[in-house]
Amino acid sequence: EERRLAFNCNIAGPLWMEGDPVLLDSIFENLMNNAIAYSSGSAIFIELKEKSEETYTFTFADDGVGVEENQLHYLFDRFYRVDKGRSRKLGGTGLGLSIVKNAVIHHGGTISVCNGERGGLEFTFTLKRNL
């Protein structure tokens, strides 16, 4: 509210997943906290892009400034911060995206990040369905 960010969620109905509820929650919470802290845009988007027999594919994006292409592959590294001074000011430790990646992998999923069409970062990740 303070940053005047809009949250757009395009996920209909309940989704059933197998796994640790605390870790699954940490995926979405850390992505949200990261977008709130570092987005200079006005909106955050989460969407269920695809539902296969075995997995759900989600995108989580913001419309901020993104990061330089050569830094994208470091974003999931522990303690990595794009702008170290700004992160320290906001209280970031550089662990949030590492936690996200490890939680996704722990649940048999995959995750990637790119600069999105909306201008900010776009995370695409899969999680296994509860069959």
Side-chain angles (χ1 to χ4, degrees):
E1 199 173 288
E2 181 180 307
R3 301 257 325 266
R4 299 228 185 264
L5 289 170
F7 179 65
N8 301 289
C9 183
N10 187 13
I11 299 174
L15 303 178
W16 300 100
M17 290 175 250
E18 227 174 275
D20 181 329
V22 173
L23 284 177
L24 289 168
D25 182 56
S26 75
I27 295 168
F28 296 92
E29 182 178 354
N30 278 299
L31 287 172
M32 179 66 75
N33 288 340
N34 194 70
I36 290 169
Y38 300 110
S39 171
S40 60
S42 60
I44 298 169
F45 309 86
I46 184 167
E47 181 174 11
L48 176 62
K49 290 293 273 188
E50 186 180 321
K51 183 170 28 173
S52 74
E53 284 186 30
E54 296 181 3
T55 62
Y56 297 113
T57 302
F58 298 93
T59 58
F60 194 104
D62 63 66
D63 63 349
V65 296
V67 301
E68 292 181 25
E69 290 292 324
N70 64 346
Q71 294 185 346
L72 286 172
H73 67 280
Y74 295 113
L75 290 180
F76 296 113
D77 291 354
R78 279 194 271 162
F79 306 114
Y80 183 77
R81 296 182 293 195
V82 174
D83 181 345
K84 295 177 184 10
R86 185 172 154 201
S87 297
R88 243 181 262 115
K89 178 180 159 191
L90 296 170
T93 62
L95 289 174
L97 294 179
S98 178
I99 291 168
V100 168
K101 179 180 179 182
N102 287 310
V104 168
I105 290 169
H106 176 80
H107 287 91
T110 60
I111 187 164
S112 63
V113 62
C114 65
N115 283 305
E117 294 175 13
R118 295 177 175 105
L121 291 178
E122 181 174 301
F123 295 86
T124 301
F125 60 100
T126 62
L127 293 171
K128 287 191 176 194
R129 293 179 64 178
N130 185 356
L131 304 174

